Amino acid sequence: MYSLAQHKYIPSFHHQACKNHPPHHPSSPVFCSTTTTKSRDKPNPKPLVIEPWLVPVPPTVVTADNPRPMNNDPSLQSTWSHRAWVAAGCTTLLISLGESIKGAMDLNMWAEPILAGWVGYILADLGSGVYHWAIDNYGDASIPIVGTQIEAFQGHHKWPWTITKRQFANNLHGLARAVTFTVLPIVLLCHDPIVEGFVGMCSGCIMFSQQFHAWSHGTKSRLPPLVVALQEAGVLVSRSQHAAHHRPPYNNNYCIVSGVWNDFLDKHKVFEALEMVLYFKTGVRPRSWSETASEWIEEIETPSQIQAQ
């Protein structure tokens, strides 16, 4: 018969010998400690990177080394040029609305001009949101025609309280000038009461949107009771609604006439979608994507500085 050689099975791990143990009963369990082979060292993982927008940044406190606009800053004061443009804009609006009322009386037609005015009011809020979003996020002071407004709106995020310090004509003259140039030709060439009603209400709300915007930054105790009532009724953009625009992520509540479009636009992420399209098409990042940058951090006034004014 052939004899088979007996081979011991050696496992891949090493057993430590159980030495110097007394004899034991076969039924008694024996425990031996084992050590496994050392595994290969893994390469060092990539360092953890914290995105800038995940790091909370406290508001900047205004100090002597960090200047800010003062109440008597000339840039907040109205000039005669500002007042002249506001007067021209208001005159244009009154002519447009007057033509609409006159035409409605002559034709005994009231429902259509009123409905047209209501549509103009609704679309003015949408237009204010689109324009606000655009100049908040794109361009700078070097852009022709609208560069000063871009600079003002972007600076407004750092010093939002300055809009309450601007004088009336200073705040409205830019939009009043645009209304004068665009609406006056329509008023002179078109005498349809429906068109006049739409144009007059829409352009009027757009022109005064900056004043509605300023009121949304005011305190309830300092606002006229009628303004507070209109804000609470939803006719004008409310203070609480617009306050969300000045908190991270700084990409919502852009509409500043009545704010009626804000919920729809923010819920469906309309502006975020437009930002992605523009980014993939042009490579330009909107300013709201870098909201932790210094130009987006609101500067606050200390009590002593407020008293000093």
Side-chain angles (χ1 to χ4, degrees):
M1 297 179 61
Y2 294 99
S3 62
L4 300 176
Q6 294 182 352
H7 297 279
K8 292 184 180 180
Y9 172 72
I10 301 176
S12 59
F13 49 83
H14 303 287
H15 286 274
Q16 290 183 351
C18 301
K19 299 179 180 180
N20 300 326
H21 288 287
H24 56 274
H25 193 273
S27 63
S28 301
V30 177
F31 300 95
C32 297
S33 62
T34 62
T35 58
T36 59
T37 57
K38 186 177 181 181
S39 60
R40 296 179 181 178
D41 293 335
K42 295 182 178 179
N44 292 331
K46 294 181 179 180
L48 179 63
V49 178
I50 301 177
E51 297 293 344
W53 54 80
L54 298 179
V55 181
V57 180
T60 305
V61 178
V62 179
T63 63
D65 298 329
N66 190 15
R68 57 169 178 77
M70 304 295 292
N71 285 347
N72 57 355
D73 193 313
S75 66
L76 304 178
Q77 308 298 314
S78 295
T79 65
W80 285 109
S81 174
H82 296 163
R83 298 184 182 96
W85 279 117
V86 171
C90 290
T91 302
T92 302
L93 294 176
L94 290 175
I95 294 174
S96 178
L97 294 174
E99 287 285 336
S100 178
I101 295 172
K102 180 179 180 297
M105 292 177 62
D106 293 341
L107 300 174
N108 195 22
M109 179 179 61
W110 293 99
E112 292 85 348
I114 292 174
L115 179 61
W118 180 79
V119 173
Y121 161 74
I122 296 298
L123 292 183
D125 187 58
L126 177 61
S128 73
V130 174
Y131 186 71
H132 188 182
W133 163 77
I135 64 178
D136 258 11
N137 288 283
Y138 301 98
D140 53 34
S142 64
I143 301 297
I145 302 176
V146 296
T148 55
Q149 289 192 7
I150 292 175
E151 184 180 30
F153 267 76
Q154 293 173 3
H156 170 67
H157 275 269
K158 193 170 186 178
W159 300 297
W161 47 268
T162 56
I163 195 171
T164 65
K165 311 294 185 182
R166 287 187 180 275
Q167 294 184 352
F168 179 77
N170 179 289
N171 202 21
L172 300 187
H173 75 278
L175 292 173
R177 180 168 47 198
V179 166
T180 302
F181 283 127
T182 56
V183 176
L184 189 57
I186 299 175
V187 172
L188 297 176
L189 297 175
C190 179
H191 302 286
D192 188 322
I194 298 175
V195 175
E196 296 281 9
F198 171 81
V199 171
M201 182 61 71
C202 183
S203 58
C205 289
I206 289 175
M207 175 176 154
F208 284 96
S209 63
Q210 270 296 81
Q211 186 58 47
F212 305 155
H213 184 192
W215 284 334
S216 71
H217 282 277
T219 57
K220 189 174 181 179
S221 61
R222 295 185 178 182
L223 293 175
L226 178 60
V227 172
V228 175
L230 292 174
Q231 288 178 337
E232 294 178 349
V235 177
L236 300 180
V237 63
S238 66
R239 302 177 304 282
S240 59
Q241 187 182 55
H242 186 67
H245 176 70
H246 289 273
R247 292 193 294 266
Y250 304 101
N251 63 355
N252 51 43
N253 291 278
Y254 284 104
C255 300
I256 55 175
V257 174
S258 64
V260 69
W261 282 93
N262 282 328
D263 288 341
F264 175 85
L265 295 172
D266 296 340
K267 180 179 178 181
H268 294 86
K269 300 185 182 300
V270 174
F271 292 124
E272 293 182 38
L274 290 175
E275 290 168 357
M276 293 300 296
V277 170
L278 289 175
Y279 176 69
F280 285 120
K281 291 289 185 180
T282 65
V284 178
R285 297 168 61 91
R287 195 165 278 100
S288 62
W289 288 9
S290 57
E291 71 274 6
T292 55
S294 60
E295 65 265 22
W296 283 87
I297 304 303
E298 177 180 351
E299 291 191 351
I300 60 176
E301 298 175 285
T302 61
S304 61
Q305 289 167 334
I306 296 174
Q307 292 176 0
Q309 296 183 23

PDB file of all heavy atoms in Angstrom, residues 120-133 202 206 209 254-257 261 265 271:
ATOM      1  N   GLY A 120     -50.903  95.794 -15.794  1.00  0.00           N
ATOM      2  CA  GLY A 120     -49.670  96.571 -15.748  1.00  0.00           C
ATOM      3  C   GLY A 120     -49.029  96.568 -14.379  1.00  0.00           C
ATOM      4  O   GLY A 120     -47.793  96.469 -14.249  1.00  0.00           O
ATOM      5  N   TYR A 121     -49.850  96.645 -13.340  1.00  0.00           N
ATOM      6  CA  TYR A 121     -49.355  96.593 -11.952  1.00  0.00           C
ATOM      7  C   TYR A 121     -48.706  95.237 -11.653  1.00  0.00           C
ATOM      8  O   TYR A 121     -47.624  95.174 -11.039  1.00  0.00           O
ATOM      9  CB  TYR A 121     -50.525  96.886 -11.014  1.00  0.00           C
ATOM     10  CG  TYR A 121     -50.342  96.462  -9.581  1.00  0.00           C
ATOM     11  CD1 TYR A 121     -49.509  97.167  -8.725  1.00  0.00           C
ATOM     12  CD2 TYR A 121     -51.044  95.355  -9.073  1.00  0.00           C
ATOM     13  CE1 TYR A 121     -49.360  96.781  -7.402  1.00  0.00           C
ATOM     14  CE2 TYR A 121     -50.903  94.971  -7.762  1.00  0.00           C
ATOM     15  CZ  TYR A 121     -50.056  95.679  -6.928  1.00  0.00           C
ATOM     16  OH  TYR A 121     -49.910  95.283  -5.621  1.00  0.00           O
ATOM     17  N   ILE A 122     -49.330  94.152 -12.100  1.00  0.00           N
ATOM     18  CA  ILE A 122     -48.795  92.808 -11.852  1.00  0.00           C
ATOM     19  C   ILE A 122     -47.484  92.607 -12.606  1.00  0.00           C
ATOM     20  O   ILE A 122     -46.494  92.098 -12.055  1.00  0.00           O
ATOM     21  CB  ILE A 122     -49.818  91.731 -12.268  1.00  0.00           C
ATOM     22  CG1 ILE A 122     -51.076  91.826 -11.394  1.00  0.00           C
ATOM     23  CG2 ILE A 122     -49.198  90.340 -12.161  1.00  0.00           C
ATOM     24  CD1 ILE A 122     -50.849  91.577  -9.925  1.00  0.00           C
ATOM     25  N   LEU A 123     -47.452  93.015 -13.864  1.00  0.00           N
ATOM     26  CA  LEU A 123     -46.237  92.826 -14.661  1.00  0.00           C
ATOM     27  C   LEU A 123     -45.110  93.751 -14.212  1.00  0.00           C
ATOM     28  O   LEU A 123     -43.928  93.421 -14.400  1.00  0.00           O
ATOM     29  CB  LEU A 123     -46.547  93.038 -16.139  1.00  0.00           C
ATOM     30  CG  LEU A 123     -47.448  91.981 -16.789  1.00  0.00           C
ATOM     31  CD1 LEU A 123     -47.630  92.270 -18.262  1.00  0.00           C
ATOM     32  CD2 LEU A 123     -46.877  90.573 -16.586  1.00  0.00           C
ATOM     33  N   ALA A 124     -45.448  94.894 -13.640  1.00  0.00           N
ATOM     34  CA  ALA A 124     -44.403  95.780 -13.123  1.00  0.00           C
ATOM     35  C   ALA A 124     -43.630  95.107 -11.996  1.00  0.00           C
ATOM     36  O   ALA A 124     -42.406  95.274 -11.889  1.00  0.00           O
ATOM     37  CB  ALA A 124     -45.022  97.088 -12.635  1.00  0.00           C
ATOM     38  N   ASP A 125     -44.314  94.342 -11.172  1.00  0.00           N
ATOM     39  CA  ASP A 125     -43.626  93.623 -10.097  1.00  0.00           C
ATOM     40  C   ASP A 125     -42.669  92.589 -10.677  1.00  0.00           C
ATOM     41  O   ASP A 125     -41.529  92.461 -10.208  1.00  0.00           O
ATOM     42  CB  ASP A 125     -44.654  92.943  -9.188  1.00  0.00           C
ATOM     43  CG  ASP A 125     -44.016  92.322  -7.958  1.00  0.00           C
ATOM     44  OD1 ASP A 125     -43.369  93.051  -7.187  1.00  0.00           O
ATOM     45  OD2 ASP A 125     -44.159  91.086  -7.777  1.00  0.00           O
ATOM     46  N   LEU A 126     -43.123  91.859 -11.697  1.00  0.00           N
ATOM     47  CA  LEU A 126     -42.249  90.883 -12.353  1.00  0.00           C
ATOM     48  C   LEU A 126     -41.049  91.576 -12.993  1.00  0.00           C
ATOM     49  O   LEU A 126     -39.908  91.122 -12.864  1.00  0.00           O
ATOM     50  CB  LEU A 126     -43.030  90.104 -13.408  1.00  0.00           C
ATOM     51  CG  LEU A 126     -42.233  89.093 -14.238  1.00  0.00           C
ATOM     52  CD1 LEU A 126     -41.627  88.023 -13.354  1.00  0.00           C
ATOM     53  CD2 LEU A 126     -43.128  88.479 -15.317  1.00  0.00           C
ATOM     54  N   GLY A 127     -41.311  92.680 -13.686  1.00  0.00           N
ATOM     55  CA  GLY A 127     -40.212  93.416 -14.315  1.00  0.00           C
ATOM     56  C   GLY A 127     -39.205  93.933 -13.311  1.00  0.00           C
ATOM     57  O   GLY A 127     -37.987  93.893 -13.558  1.00  0.00           O
ATOM     58  N   SER A 128     -39.687  94.400 -12.159  1.00  0.00           N
ATOM     59  CA  SER A 128     -38.763  94.891 -11.131  1.00  0.00           C
ATOM     60  C   SER A 128     -37.881  93.771 -10.606  1.00  0.00           C
ATOM     61  O   SER A 128     -36.703  93.982 -10.307  1.00  0.00           O
ATOM     62  CB  SER A 128     -39.543  95.535  -9.989  1.00  0.00           C
ATOM     63  OG  SER A 128     -40.205  94.549  -9.200  1.00  0.00           O
ATOM     64  N   GLY A 129     -38.455  92.551 -10.512  1.00  0.00           N
ATOM     65  CA  GLY A 129     -37.671  91.417 -10.029  1.00  0.00           C
ATOM     66  C   GLY A 129     -36.586  91.002 -11.004  1.00  0.00           C
ATOM     67  O   GLY A 129     -35.442  90.740 -10.615  1.00  0.00           O
ATOM     68  N   VAL A 130     -36.937  90.945 -12.288  1.00  0.00           N
ATOM     69  CA  VAL A 130     -35.960  90.553 -13.308  1.00  0.00           C
ATOM     70  C   VAL A 130     -34.826  91.581 -13.374  1.00  0.00           C
ATOM     71  O   VAL A 130     -33.637  91.222 -13.415  1.00  0.00           O
ATOM     72  CB  VAL A 130     -36.645  90.396 -14.678  1.00  0.00           C
ATOM     73  CG1 VAL A 130     -35.611  90.142 -15.767  1.00  0.00           C
ATOM     74  CG2 VAL A 130     -37.663  89.255 -14.639  1.00  0.00           C
ATOM     75  N   TYR A 131     -35.192  92.847 -13.370  1.00  0.00           N
ATOM     76  CA  TYR A 131     -34.172  93.908 -13.447  1.00  0.00           C
ATOM     77  C   TYR A 131     -33.300  93.907 -12.195  1.00  0.00           C
ATOM     78  O   TYR A 131     -32.067  94.041 -12.272  1.00  0.00           O
ATOM     79  CB  TYR A 131     -34.857  95.256 -13.632  1.00  0.00           C
ATOM     80  CG  TYR A 131     -33.915  96.402 -13.874  1.00  0.00           C
ATOM     81  CD1 TYR A 131     -33.225  96.523 -15.078  1.00  0.00           C
ATOM     82  CD2 TYR A 131     -33.709  97.381 -12.904  1.00  0.00           C
ATOM     83  CE1 TYR A 131     -32.351  97.574 -15.311  1.00  0.00           C
ATOM     84  CE2 TYR A 131     -32.840  98.433 -13.126  1.00  0.00           C
ATOM     85  CZ  TYR A 131     -32.169  98.527 -14.328  1.00  0.00           C
ATOM     86  OH  TYR A 131     -31.294  99.576 -14.558  1.00  0.00           O
ATOM     87  N   HIS A 132     -33.915  93.757 -11.047  1.00  0.00           N
ATOM     88  CA  HIS A 132     -33.191  93.723  -9.772  1.00  0.00           C
ATOM     89  C   HIS A 132     -32.215  92.558  -9.746  1.00  0.00           C
ATOM     90  O   HIS A 132     -31.050  92.700  -9.342  1.00  0.00           O
ATOM     91  CB  HIS A 132     -34.205  93.622  -8.624  1.00  0.00           C
ATOM     92  CG  HIS A 132     -33.626  93.762  -7.272  1.00  0.00           C
ATOM     93  ND1 HIS A 132     -34.378  93.661  -6.119  1.00  0.00           N
ATOM     94  CD2 HIS A 132     -32.355  93.991  -6.842  1.00  0.00           C
ATOM     95  CE1 HIS A 132     -33.606  93.812  -5.078  1.00  0.00           C
ATOM     96  NE2 HIS A 132     -32.376  94.011  -5.474  1.00  0.00           N
ATOM     97  N   TRP A 133     -32.680  91.388 -10.180  1.00  0.00           N
ATOM     98  CA  TRP A 133     -31.801  90.207 -10.229  1.00  0.00           C
ATOM     99  C   TRP A 133     -30.608  90.457 -11.145  1.00  0.00           C
ATOM    100  O   TRP A 133     -29.463  90.116 -10.809  1.00  0.00           O
ATOM    101  CB  TRP A 133     -32.591  88.999 -10.708  1.00  0.00           C
ATOM    102  CG  TRP A 133     -31.732  87.870 -11.178  1.00  0.00           C
ATOM    103  CD1 TRP A 133     -31.035  86.984 -10.414  1.00  0.00           C
ATOM    104  CD2 TRP A 133     -31.445  87.517 -12.548  1.00  0.00           C
ATOM    105  NE1 TRP A 133     -30.339  86.111 -11.205  1.00  0.00           N
ATOM    106  CE2 TRP A 133     -30.582  86.404 -12.521  1.00  0.00           C
ATOM    107  CE3 TRP A 133     -31.859  88.020 -13.774  1.00  0.00           C
ATOM    108  CZ2 TRP A 133     -30.108  85.801 -13.688  1.00  0.00           C
ATOM    109  CZ3 TRP A 133     -31.387  87.421 -14.936  1.00  0.00           C
ATOM    110  CH2 TRP A 133     -30.524  86.331 -14.890  1.00  0.00           C
ATOM    111  N   CYS A 202     -48.176 100.469 -15.390  1.00  0.00           N
ATOM    112  CA  CYS A 202     -46.952  99.667 -15.359  1.00  0.00           C
ATOM    113  C   CYS A 202     -45.721 100.554 -15.166  1.00  0.00           C
ATOM    114  O   CYS A 202     -44.886 100.299 -14.284  1.00  0.00           O
ATOM    115  CB  CYS A 202     -46.836  98.863 -16.648  1.00  0.00           C
ATOM    116  SG  CYS A 202     -45.411  97.750 -16.695  1.00  0.00           S
ATOM    117  N   ILE A 206     -43.133 100.936 -11.886  1.00  0.00           N
ATOM    118  CA  ILE A 206     -41.691 100.746 -12.056  1.00  0.00           C
ATOM    119  C   ILE A 206     -40.926 101.984 -11.581  1.00  0.00           C
ATOM    120  O   ILE A 206     -39.903 101.877 -10.897  1.00  0.00           O
ATOM    121  CB  ILE A 206     -41.367 100.432 -13.523  1.00  0.00           C
ATOM    122  CG1 ILE A 206     -41.871  99.026 -13.864  1.00  0.00           C
ATOM    123  CG2 ILE A 206     -39.870 100.536 -13.788  1.00  0.00           C
ATOM    124  CD1 ILE A 206     -41.708  98.648 -15.325  1.00  0.00           C
ATOM    125  N   SER A 209     -40.940 102.117  -7.877  1.00  0.00           N
ATOM    126  CA  SER A 209     -40.512 100.888  -7.200  1.00  0.00           C
ATOM    127  C   SER A 209     -39.358 101.145  -6.242  1.00  0.00           C
ATOM    128  O   SER A 209     -39.255 100.470  -5.208  1.00  0.00           O
ATOM    129  CB  SER A 209     -40.107  99.833  -8.236  1.00  0.00           C
ATOM    130  OG  SER A 209     -38.996 100.261  -8.999  1.00  0.00           O
ATOM    131  N   TYR A 254     -36.547  89.068  -5.143  1.00  0.00           N
ATOM    132  CA  TYR A 254     -36.027  90.186  -5.924  1.00  0.00           C
ATOM    133  C   TYR A 254     -37.100  91.219  -6.266  1.00  0.00           C
ATOM    134  O   TYR A 254     -36.768  92.379  -6.520  1.00  0.00           O
ATOM    135  CB  TYR A 254     -35.408  89.677  -7.228  1.00  0.00           C
ATOM    136  CG  TYR A 254     -34.052  89.026  -7.074  1.00  0.00           C
ATOM    137  CD1 TYR A 254     -33.910  87.643  -7.133  1.00  0.00           C
ATOM    138  CD2 TYR A 254     -32.905  89.790  -6.874  1.00  0.00           C
ATOM    139  CE1 TYR A 254     -32.663  87.042  -7.006  1.00  0.00           C
ATOM    140  CE2 TYR A 254     -31.662  89.197  -6.740  1.00  0.00           C
ATOM    141  CZ  TYR A 254     -31.555  87.824  -6.809  1.00  0.00           C
ATOM    142  OH  TYR A 254     -30.327  87.237  -6.674  1.00  0.00           O
ATOM    143  N   CYS A 255     -38.366  90.830  -6.326  1.00  0.00           N
ATOM    144  CA  CYS A 255     -39.421  91.744  -6.773  1.00  0.00           C
ATOM    145  C   CYS A 255     -39.707  92.783  -5.695  1.00  0.00           C
ATOM    146  O   CYS A 255     -39.869  92.434  -4.515  1.00  0.00           O
ATOM    147  CB  CYS A 255     -40.682  90.967  -7.114  1.00  0.00           C
ATOM    148  SG  CYS A 255     -40.443  89.746  -8.423  1.00  0.00           S
ATOM    149  N   ILE A 256     -39.815  94.056  -6.091  1.00  0.00           N
ATOM    150  CA  ILE A 256     -39.893  95.130  -5.093  1.00  0.00           C
ATOM    151  C   ILE A 256     -41.074  96.079  -5.310  1.00  0.00           C
ATOM    152  O   ILE A 256     -41.091  97.167  -4.730  1.00  0.00           O
ATOM    153  CB  ILE A 256     -38.577  95.940  -5.064  1.00  0.00           C
ATOM    154  CG1 ILE A 256     -38.218  96.465  -6.455  1.00  0.00           C
ATOM    155  CG2 ILE A 256     -37.446  95.114  -4.483  1.00  0.00           C
ATOM    156  CD1 ILE A 256     -36.999  97.367  -6.490  1.00  0.00           C
ATOM    157  N   VAL A 257     -42.055  95.679  -6.118  1.00  0.00           N
ATOM    158  CA  VAL A 257     -43.269  96.500  -6.226  1.00  0.00           C
ATOM    159  C   VAL A 257     -44.286  96.010  -5.199  1.00  0.00           C
ATOM    160  O   VAL A 257     -44.564  96.679  -4.206  1.00  0.00           O
ATOM    161  CB  VAL A 257     -43.847  96.477  -7.650  1.00  0.00           C
ATOM    162  CG1 VAL A 257     -45.195  97.211  -7.693  1.00  0.00           C
ATOM    163  CG2 VAL A 257     -42.883  97.144  -8.616  1.00  0.00           C
ATOM    164  N   TRP A 261     -44.840  88.170  -7.055  1.00  0.00           N
ATOM    165  CA  TRP A 261     -44.180  87.152  -7.864  1.00  0.00           C
ATOM    166  C   TRP A 261     -43.087  86.404  -7.103  1.00  0.00           C
ATOM    167  O   TRP A 261     -42.557  85.399  -7.593  1.00  0.00           O
ATOM    168  CB  TRP A 261     -43.554  87.791  -9.107  1.00  0.00           C
ATOM    169  CG  TRP A 261     -44.534  88.099 -10.193  1.00  0.00           C
ATOM    170  CD1 TRP A 261     -45.197  89.280 -10.404  1.00  0.00           C
ATOM    171  CD2 TRP A 261     -44.953  87.225 -11.245  1.00  0.00           C
ATOM    172  NE1 TRP A 261     -46.006  89.203 -11.503  1.00  0.00           N
ATOM    173  CE2 TRP A 261     -45.872  87.947 -12.047  1.00  0.00           C
ATOM    174  CE3 TRP A 261     -44.640  85.913 -11.594  1.00  0.00           C
ATOM    175  CZ2 TRP A 261     -46.480  87.378 -13.165  1.00  0.00           C
ATOM    176  CZ3 TRP A 261     -45.242  85.359 -12.708  1.00  0.00           C
ATOM    177  CH2 TRP A 261     -46.143  86.081 -13.477  1.00  0.00           C
ATOM    178  N   LEU A 265     -41.442  82.682  -8.230  1.00  0.00           N
ATOM    179  CA  LEU A 265     -40.099  82.670  -8.809  1.00  0.00           C
ATOM    180  C   LEU A 265     -39.114  81.903  -7.936  1.00  0.00           C
ATOM    181  O   LEU A 265     -38.252  81.176  -8.446  1.00  0.00           O
ATOM    182  CB  LEU A 265     -39.617  84.111  -9.012  1.00  0.00           C
ATOM    183  CG  LEU A 265     -40.403  84.955 -10.024  1.00  0.00           C
ATOM    184  CD1 LEU A 265     -39.937  86.406  -9.984  1.00  0.00           C
ATOM    185  CD2 LEU A 265     -40.250  84.388 -11.434  1.00  0.00           C
ATOM    186  N   PHE A 271     -34.733  82.134 -11.195  1.00  0.00           N
ATOM    187  CA  PHE A 271     -33.482  82.882 -11.329  1.00  0.00           C
ATOM    188  C   PHE A 271     -32.258  81.974 -11.220  1.00  0.00           C
ATOM    189  O   PHE A 271     -31.245  82.210 -11.889  1.00  0.00           O
ATOM    190  CB  PHE A 271     -33.414  83.997 -10.293  1.00  0.00           C
ATOM    191  CG  PHE A 271     -34.420  85.096 -10.527  1.00  0.00           C
ATOM    192  CD1 PHE A 271     -35.331  85.454  -9.547  1.00  0.00           C
ATOM    193  CD2 PHE A 271     -34.470  85.771 -11.731  1.00  0.00           C
ATOM    194  CE1 PHE A 271     -36.262  86.459  -9.760  1.00  0.00           C
ATOM    195  CE2 PHE A 271     -35.388  86.775 -11.962  1.00  0.00           C
ATOM    196  CZ  PHE A 271     -36.285  87.119 -10.978  1.00  0.00           C
TER     197      PHE A 271
END
